[in-house]
Amino acid sequence: MASSTPVADASATTHDPRRKLGVISIALMIIAASAPLTAVGGGFTTSFAVSGNLGVPLSFFILVAVFIIFAFGYAAMSRFIDNAGAFYAYVAQGLNRSLGIGASMVALVAYNLMQIGINAIFGFSVADLFASVFGWETPWWVWSMFGIAIVGLLGVNRIDLSAKVLGIVVALEFLVVLVFDIVAIIAQPEGVSARGLLPADLFGPGVGVAFSFGVAAFMGFESAAIYSREAKDPKRTIGRATMLAIAVGGIFYGLSAWAMTVAVGPSQVVEVAATQGPGLVFGVLAEHAGTIFADIANVMFVTSIFAALLSFHNAVARYFSTLGREGVLPGWLGAQRALHGAPWAGSVTQSVLGIVVLFVFILAESAMTAGWPAEITPLYPVLTMFTWLTSSGAAGLTFLMAIVAVAVIGYFWRNHRGVGVWSRLIAPAIAAVALIVLFVLMLMYFNLLLGQVDENGETFSTWLTWFFPTLLILPLFLGLLWAQRMRLRTPERFAQVGHGSHD
């Protein structure tokens, strides 16, 4: 494992006017990426429906433990690395530059899958909102296009504007979900029980799918380091914000998922989620809290998804920008706004990718509407574009975090830098093993995740079963090949990989 030269003290740059984000601001950006109301209304219901697994609540508490353990090493390393490339820089400095480039390719694919997939449920939810409130029937993809445009516009502007927007949205989201949890306990058609929290409920058919959606709900906590160049005190802010986001978000998710089983009954939650989708949440609220509050919650659901779109868009834009500045990708991707350093080129690139993928699913829907190769369902964008892309992205980021956990060990191997043995060795080792197990479970149940189940309940495989896993792993090897090319043709750029650009 390669050692690396520590970068310049991040505290020396605190005078930079771009450094405006504190612990709370970054924690809000992290939580916004997973979007509490989006996780409850979209992620939880889809997880119950697709996995058929009642142990969804327990999966969150297990993931809290895994991610907290991972965060010890991650936060320790963040004290010494000030690079908006986050995972990419950590692997480059902890293992070697070639693996860092490979990791950057995996990260780009995974984050783009997450962001583009969320855009599908945004379009579906806006269309559903207008249909339920005003009776206006509009195509879901029109609103997905609208979301791409607005998020792209904010993406090329000041980061502190985004933080303010997300802060307000996240606070309101927590309030709505809290009301749902209280209403669920009051409703309790089958009483209050521990079902959903028992190991037997989780460890059975569909466990990999449940973990996939669980990881997707958490995704965003690892993005704290992406904002290192905009943090007031990177040495402390990043670690504290990460821990805060995992603890608050994870426990809240676990309790809310359990409340969902109580709201409609453990014996009914899978079936209701499969037929109603996000409507499960708003139906419960309408019945027990009133139609007006349910409509308000529906609006908040849309703004929640928008918050997640914006947060992941910012993450992708910063990856593009960092890789462009360091010469891994074309230099023009590193272009920033002169006034406040917003990565406008990366932002525009992400928006273009979103439009291209959206058109692919629009064409697929048109073919299915015509009866080929299968019949269309009202939940098409949720069960295909949203489910396939976000779950694939979550699997990719799980794979990437396992590599990062090993990189933490490598980074502190020769120079402990005053970090204790738990944070630099034991915690990352445990995290690496746990994350690899999670990744394998996700791959084992990928055909179930894609809805490849016949009339007898037996799973089958198609080219899609192999397409998405390949899409996650292949970039690592392509990145290694590209790294070899850089090392031979542009050694000065290769030496800079993962160690900061001179901008």
Side-chain angles (χ1 to χ4, degrees):
M1 295 179 181
S3 61
S4 57
T5 303
V7 296
D9 189 342
S11 63
T13 60
T14 54
H15 65 277
D16 191 329
R18 292 178 295 180
R19 294 187 176 276
K20 300 181 178 182
L21 300 180
V23 173
I24 300 300
S25 294
I26 293 179
L28 287 173
M29 296 289 284
I30 296 170
I31 295 174
S34 57
L37 192 51
T38 299
V40 174
F44 294 7
T45 54
T46 308
S47 182
F48 279 119
V50 176
S51 71
N53 191 299
L54 188 59
V56 171
L58 178 59
S59 70
F60 283 102
F61 291 107
I62 293 175
L63 290 173
V64 167
V66 172
F67 291 149
I68 284 288
I69 293 173
F70 170 83
F72 275 100
Y74 184 67
M77 201 166 173
S78 72
R79 292 163 50 196
F80 304 95
I81 297 181
D82 177 19
N83 189 301
F87 281 171
Y88 149 71
Y90 284 39
V91 176
Q93 295 196 39
L95 297 176
N96 60 58
R97 293 171 174 82
S98 295
L99 279 171
I101 293 175
S104 73
M105 298 299 107
V106 176
L108 274 178
V109 171
Y111 277 118
N112 271 293
L113 286 170
M114 293 289 292
Q115 203 275 348
I116 297 170
I118 293 170
N119 192 48
I121 198 170
F122 175 77
F124 169 83
S125 300
V126 175
D128 183 65
L129 176 64
F130 277 97
S132 61
V133 176
F134 303 108
W136 301 344
E137 297 292 338
T138 55
W140 65 272
W141 51 264
V142 170
W143 300 108
S144 290
M145 282 287 190
F146 178 77
I148 291 174
I150 298 300
V151 167
L153 181 63
L154 288 176
V156 298
N157 282 286
R158 296 175 63 107
I159 185 64
D160 57 343
L161 170 64
S162 298
K164 291 173 183 176
V165 171
L166 293 173
I168 295 172
V169 170
V170 170
L172 293 174
E173 284 184 60
F174 270 105
L175 178 61
V176 171
V177 176
L178 184 60
V179 171
F180 171 79
D181 292 348
I182 294 172
V183 165
I185 302 301
I186 294 174
Q188 55 171 278
E190 297 179 11
V192 177
S193 72
R195 294 304 308 274
L197 299 173
L198 303 176
D201 294 329
L202 175 63
F203 295 100
V207 58
V209 177
F211 276 126
S212 293
F213 281 100
V215 171
F218 269 100
M219 284 302 99
F221 86 82
E222 82 297 340
S223 67
I226 292 173
Y227 301 102
S228 62
R229 288 177 178 262
E230 293 152 296
K232 291 179 180 178
D233 183 2
K235 283 193 172 184
R236 297 176 178 83
T237 303
I238 302 303
R240 292 174 180 175
T242 301
M243 292 289 190
L244 179 63
I246 295 172
V248 174
I251 295 174
F252 191 66
Y253 287 156
L255 292 175
S256 297
W258 171 75
M260 185 172 290
T261 67
V262 175
V264 295
S267 68
Q268 298 296 317
V269 66
V270 170
E271 180 181 351
V272 175
T275 55
Q276 297 183 12
L280 182 157
V281 173
F282 309 118
V284 171
L285 287 173
E287 182 179 355
H288 299 281
T291 303
I292 294 178
F293 186 84
D295 289 340
I296 293 174
N298 208 338
V299 172
M300 283 304 306
F301 181 57
V302 171
T303 59
S304 169
I305 301 170
F306 179 80
L309 278 176
L310 182 56
S311 187
F312 276 110
H313 177 87
N314 286 339
V316 174
R318 278 155 185 75
Y319 257 106
F320 274 129
S321 180
T322 298
L323 294 174
R325 292 197 310 274
E326 295 191 1
V328 177
L329 293 179
W332 59 266
L333 281 169
Q336 298 178 336
R337 296 282 293 276
L339 180 62
H340 42 65
W344 71 266
S347 178
V348 171
T349 301
Q350 202 288 317
S351 297
V352 171
L353 285 173
I355 292 172
V356 171
V357 176
L358 178 61
F359 268 109
V360 171
F361 279 88
I362 292 173
L363 292 175
E365 182 183 36
S366 298
M368 293 175 70
T369 302
W372 182 91
E375 293 183 0
I376 195 73
T377 68
L379 290 174
Y380 167 79
V382 176
L383 297 179
T384 57
M385 187 172 171
F386 170 68
T387 297
W388 298 357
L389 300 193
T390 56
S391 296
S392 297
L397 290 173
T398 302
F399 174 54
L400 194 57
M401 283 191 289
I403 299 175
V404 172
V406 177
V408 172
I409 298 173
Y411 185 76
F412 293 111
W413 189 255
R414 296 182 181 177
N415 186 345
H416 298 170
R417 295 173 170 83
V419 176
V421 67
W422 167 258
S423 294
R424 63 179 166 82
L425 178 61
I426 299 175
I430 294 172
V433 173
L435 289 164
I436 290 172
V437 170
L438 286 175
F439 182 62
V440 171
L441 284 173
M442 293 175 190
L443 295 185
M444 286 174 59
Y445 289 92
F446 221 86
N447 47 8
L448 180 60
L449 182 69
L450 297 175
Q452 296 172 340
V453 183
D454 61 25
E455 296 178 353
N456 298 319
E458 298 293 330
T459 57
F460 60 90
S461 299
T462 67
W463 66 273
L464 282 173
T465 313
W466 310 105
F467 173 77
F468 287 106
T470 301
L471 192 62
L472 300 176
I473 299 173
L474 183 61
L476 176 65
F477 296 100
L478 294 179
L480 291 174
L481 292 176
W482 183 251
Q484 180 67 9
R485 182 181 184 277
M486 284 187 65
R487 189 179 69 82
L488 295 175
R489 297 192 178 187
T490 55
E492 70 287 348
R493 288 187 176 181
F494 184 74
Q496 183 177 280
V497 166
H499 290 69
S501 56
H502 303 291
D503 58 351

